[in-house]
Structure formats: structure tokens, C-alpha cells
Amino acid sequence: MLKIFWLVPISPLLSLDRATRTTVIHLHDYVAWSIIGLAGMHALAALSHHYIRGNGVLRRMGAG
């Protein structure tokens, strides 16, 4: 039984064997860290445009 935020119990959507579950968990980890890495590179690129190149890209992305 799974729990959402350790409060609400829900039943699993799929019943997976140990090998498949391990593969899915590793795939989930790789995809999650890839998204985190891409978001970090995106933030660094925005800061690079603002501080190194000074071309106003970050200023134009802001509100108003």
C-alpha cells in the first residue's frame, strides 16, 4: 500500500516484479536528475546572459 504524503493510502496501479521495479526506479532517478541538470544549466545560461554578456535577456524575461 502506498501513501500520499504519508497520510492518504492508495493501492498501486501496477504490480511489478522486483527486476522491473528496480529498472523503473533507476529510470525515474535518471530522468529526474536530467531535468534538474537542465533546469540548472538554463538558470546558469540566463545569469551568463545577464552578467557576462550584458545583453538584457534576463531583464526582458522579468515582469514589466
Side-chain angles (χ1 to χ4, degrees):
M1 185 69 57
L2 300 172
K3 289 188 178 184
I4 298 176
F5 299 115
W6 303 277
L7 298 173
V8 181
I10 60 170
S11 59
L13 298 175
L14 299 172
S15 177
L16 302 174
D17 62 346
R18 183 178 294 268
T20 305
R21 187 179 316 127
T22 302
T23 302
V24 170
I25 288 171
H26 285 129
L27 180 64
H28 179 270
D29 287 344
Y30 293 140
V31 170
W33 282 110
S34 297
I35 291 171
I36 291 169
L38 287 172
M41 289 189 320
H42 185 76
L44 288 174
L47 292 173
S48 166
H49 275 279
H50 183 71
Y51 290 111
I52 296 172
R53 294 184 182 188
N55 58 9
V57 170
L58 190 61
R59 203 168 23 260
R60 287 194 307 257
M61 287 192 300

